[in-house]
Amino acid sequence: MSTEPVSLAAALASFTQRWSPRIVTAVNDYDVRVAKVEGEHVWHAHEHTDEFFLVLDGELHIALREAGGERTVVLPKGSVYTVPRGTEHKPFAPVPTEILVFEPTGTLTVGDRHDDVPDHVDATTGHALT
């Protein structure tokens, strides 16, 4: 972890891959990750942790499977949303979007249970900035 400030713009400019987050810093036992996203992710759930999303640019949709059925939340630029632990969800970005995610270090991007992972989704615990 760097002891110097990290520019989110520079961090996001350092890679082009979609759905492949980079760890920009850590807070206690949590990673702060940035990612470029577009198109669909995969239905998945994190059994033991909530997942925090902040939309830095673009627009993120998150489909949710809840007790009352399915619904989708729409997050425009500057919006935050937390998916509760154990909730099946599927992020989707209709346009190129940049997000910041806050979750425990070591959390897999495709959760503890998930559908088949398509080739364009990186099943990772996050990559270090280069």
Side-chain angles (χ1 to χ4, degrees):
M1 179 172 62
S2 174
T3 58
E4 296 298 319
V6 175
S7 161
L8 293 181
L12 285 158
S14 73
F15 64 99
T16 59
Q17 299 87 352
R18 302 284 190 243
W19 300 110
S20 183
R22 299 305 190 266
I23 301 167
V24 294
T25 192
V27 179
N28 298 316
D29 297 329
Y30 283 76
D31 286 342
V32 179
R33 304 174 186 172
V34 293
K36 294 179 177 184
V37 300
E38 186 176 12
E40 295 187 357
H41 194 264
V42 61
W43 279 106
H44 67 284
H46 302 276
E47 297 299 337
H48 305 289
T49 186
D50 301 333
E51 187 173 18
F52 171 88
F53 292 88
L54 164 62
V55 177
L56 301 169
D57 194 32
E59 181 178 279
L60 185 69
H61 298 201
I62 304 175
L64 303 162
R65 289 180 176 154
E66 300 171 314
E70 285 189 18
R71 70 181 178 112
T72 299
V73 295
V74 177
L75 289 75
K77 179 180 178 177
S79 296
V80 299
Y81 184 77
T82 300
V83 176
R85 71 189 68 209
T87 301
E88 283 187 276
H89 59 288
K90 181 179 184 177
F92 170 79
V95 297
T97 298
E98 296 174 344
I99 61 173
L100 182 143
V101 179
F102 187 71
E103 56 195 349
T105 299
T107 299
L108 196 59
T109 57
V110 294
D112 304 310
R113 56 185 166 88
H114 53 79
D115 287 351
D116 290 338
V117 179
D119 291 341
H120 71 277
V121 172
D122 186 6
T124 180
T125 57
H127 299 282
L129 283 178
T130 54

